[in-house]
Amino acid sequence: MRRRILQATLLAVAVTTVVLGLPLGFSALKLVQDLTGADLSTRAQQIATLLDEQVANQRPIDLNAVRLAVPGGARLVVRTQAHDYVYGPDPGEDPLVQSVPMVQSGTVTIAAPSAPVRTQQLQVAGLVLMLVVLSAGTGMIVASVTARRLADPLRHVASRAARLGAGDFRPDPQRHEVPELDRVADALDASGAALSQLVQRERELVGDVSHQLRSRLTALHLRLEALAAVDDADVSEEAGAALEQAERLSAVLDDLLAAATAARARDAEPLDVTSLLNQVADEWREPLRNHGRTLRLKIGDELLARATPARLREAVGVLLDNALRHGEGPVTLTARHGGGTVLIEVSDAGSGVPDELVPHVFERGFSGHGSTGVGLALARALVEADGGRLELSQARPAMFEVFLPVARADDVLGLLWKPEPTPR
């Protein structure tokens, strides 16, 4: 995009330079020649007037009286019926000639050398060329700045749209002072909020349906197991067959939920959680220090999980920001292996979450401290988008836990060993 804008602007500058530069150069050359010719004509007219006065007073023609009007290096030729008078050197080849008639039956001709005029024309042509080059250079600078000012916002908006498509629903506060692009950015933020709510409701619905189905299947299993244990052979056989179908249904439900989780986490990649959390901690130490708080780290080594770096960074950042805004005392960031997952904990020493807020702490738009109520809902959506889970494990003092799936063995090998590209 930037290259196209730059090419289009430079093409416009080049066309403008050619269309205006060529006529300007031609006009400048013509102007120099016309001014020189006009000057010679004026001088010849003055000489003719003086010579007419001499003839009218019946005096012989004296060219010494008019020699000051003859340009340097030019030749003056006065032709009368009786005689031709010549003053000045030979002007050389291709001179500039101007002739005017005399009242007393004669002509005055001035022939000036063309070399000084050609020199002036070259100087003027060089000046016009310099102006054209300066204009083209200025146009290139303006084109480059304009292309960057237009292309960078477009690239940023395109990147924002790509992140939105990948499940990153964070609002982007950056605006570019271009009304059209700012309206697109506002629309993307509104779409991100709507999609985040939609995905949140969908996941809640899936969770509720899953819970209800599992509860009913468990109850059905118990009833069928009881029926399979009766003495009636026919009833026991039918109950066993029904129990088998119920087990298959339970397995299908597990497969569907696993497939849904895998589909949500399709953009996740093997990630060195240890390194990422250390980077996040470096970013948050200074803000916490400015509020008289400290950040304590308890991060294990070689923690590898499947997650998207940008999503996990933002989610952990939301939890740390929540601890900074609403907590007290030191903030602790912990990460370790736990139960087949990578467990990340963020806690502080404050008063925690009030009991009446605990059921609603992850609801979008709900806040008990005057904030927007978006952060924790967004953090949960980001974590769940990678197939993880975010929970409030302890209300007082507040402790949030992020559960991430551990990277598979083949993912770990791909992360630790990358083959060198084959040379061509």
Side-chain angles (χ1 to χ4, degrees):
M1 177 61 71
R2 179 177 178 179
R3 187 192 309 175
R4 292 182 180 179
I5 297 174
L6 185 60
Q7 289 176 347
T9 308
L10 291 179
L11 178 61
V13 171
V15 171
T16 303
T17 301
V18 172
V19 171
L20 296 180
L22 292 180
L24 179 62
F26 178 79
S27 299
L29 298 179
K30 183 69 172 153
L31 179 62
V32 172
Q33 185 171 353
D34 291 344
L35 290 176
T36 303
D39 179 63
L40 292 178
S41 179
T42 301
R43 291 172 179 268
Q45 188 64 49
Q46 293 174 350
I47 293 173
T49 301
L50 294 174
L51 295 179
D52 282 335
E53 291 178 356
Q54 292 179 1
V55 174
N57 293 328
Q58 296 182 353
R59 288 185 295 171
I61 292 178
D62 182 12
L63 296 184
N64 290 326
V66 297
R67 61 187 178 87
L68 294 178
V70 180
R75 171 174 287 186
L76 172 64
V77 179
V78 179
R79 299 182 185 276
T80 64
Q81 293 180 350
H83 194 270
D84 291 344
Y85 301 90
V86 178
Y87 173 79
D90 183 6
E93 297 181 357
D94 193 21
L96 298 177
V97 180
Q98 290 292 331
S99 297
V100 297
M102 295 174 59
V103 176
Q104 304 296 331
S105 301
T107 60
V108 175
T109 302
I110 296 180
S114 59
V117 177
R118 300 291 181 259
T119 301
Q120 290 182 4
Q121 287 180 328
L122 289 176
Q123 292 174 348
V124 172
L127 179 60
V128 171
L129 180 61
M130 184 175 65
L131 291 176
V132 168
V133 172
L134 180 61
S135 300
T138 303
M140 292 179 64
I141 294 175
V142 173
S144 179
V145 173
T146 303
R148 183 170 61 252
R149 288 193 62 186
L150 291 177
D152 290 348
L154 288 173
R155 190 181 298 111
H156 181 267
V157 171
S159 176
R160 172 75 181 97
R163 294 198 307 270
L164 181 62
D168 186 353
F169 305 127
R170 293 172 294 170
D172 191 345
Q174 183 174 353
R175 295 296 181 266
H176 307 281
E177 298 182 358
V178 179
E180 292 78 5
L181 292 179
D182 289 346
R183 284 198 294 269
V184 173
D186 292 339
L188 289 175
D189 284 347
S191 299
L195 288 174
S196 176
Q197 294 177 359
L198 179 63
V199 171
Q200 187 71 16
R201 288 196 297 267
E202 177 186 354
R203 289 169 179 162
E204 291 174 355
L205 176 62
V206 171
D208 293 341
V209 171
S210 172
H211 175 73
Q212 294 297 326
L213 286 176
R214 288 183 183 279
S215 299
R216 299 299 181 268
L217 283 174
T218 300
L220 182 60
H221 271 89
L222 294 175
R223 296 294 300 274
L224 291 176
E225 288 175 353
L227 288 176
V230 300
D231 295 335
D232 191 330
D234 294 335
V235 173
S236 177
E237 182 179 357
E238 291 297 329
L243 183 60
E244 182 180 354
Q245 293 297 326
E247 291 176 350
R248 290 180 180 177
L249 180 59
S250 179
V252 169
L253 177 60
D254 292 338
D255 291 341
L256 290 175
L257 292 176
T261 301
R264 291 202 306 266
R266 65 183 183 276
D267 294 329
E269 59 187 40
L271 175 65
D272 185 354
V273 177
T274 302
S275 175
L276 185 138
L277 291 182
N278 283 316
Q279 295 174 13
V280 174
D282 292 338
E283 297 174 2
W284 282 92
R285 279 196 178 91
E286 189 64 27
L288 287 167
R289 188 180 297 114
N290 293 337
H291 288 77
R293 314 265 302 274
T294 58
L295 178 61
R296 298 174 180 175
L297 298 182
K298 299 179 181 179
I299 301 175
D301 297 329
E302 298 182 356
L303 297 177
L304 300 177
R306 288 190 59 82
T308 305
R311 292 174 183 169
L312 182 58
R313 181 187 298 272
E314 180 65 19
V316 175
V318 168
L319 298 179
L320 292 173
D321 182 67
N322 185 75
L324 173 62
R325 291 174 180 270
H326 309 304
E328 298 175 0
V331 179
T332 303
L333 176 60
T334 304
R336 65 179 188 276
H337 285 289
T341 63
V342 173
L343 175 61
I344 302 172
E345 297 175 345
V346 177
S347 61
D348 61 80
S351 58
V353 181
D355 294 338
E356 63 273 12
L357 297 183
V358 171
H360 311 286
V361 70
F362 291 108
E363 292 182 8
R364 192 179 188 89
F366 186 89
S367 175
H369 298 84
S371 60
T372 60
V374 175
L376 291 177
L378 175 61
R380 170 173 273 189
L382 292 173
V383 172
E384 291 182 349
D386 287 335
R389 193 171 78 255
L390 172 61
E391 302 290 346
L392 176 62
S393 61
Q394 180 177 299
R396 298 182 181 178
M399 176 184 291
F400 291 90
E401 293 183 336
V402 177
F403 299 87
L404 297 176
V406 176
R408 299 189 302 267
D410 52 348
D411 292 334
V412 174
L413 291 177
L415 180 64
L416 298 178
W417 177 81
K418 295 182 179 179
E420 295 293 334
T422 303
R424 294 184 177 182

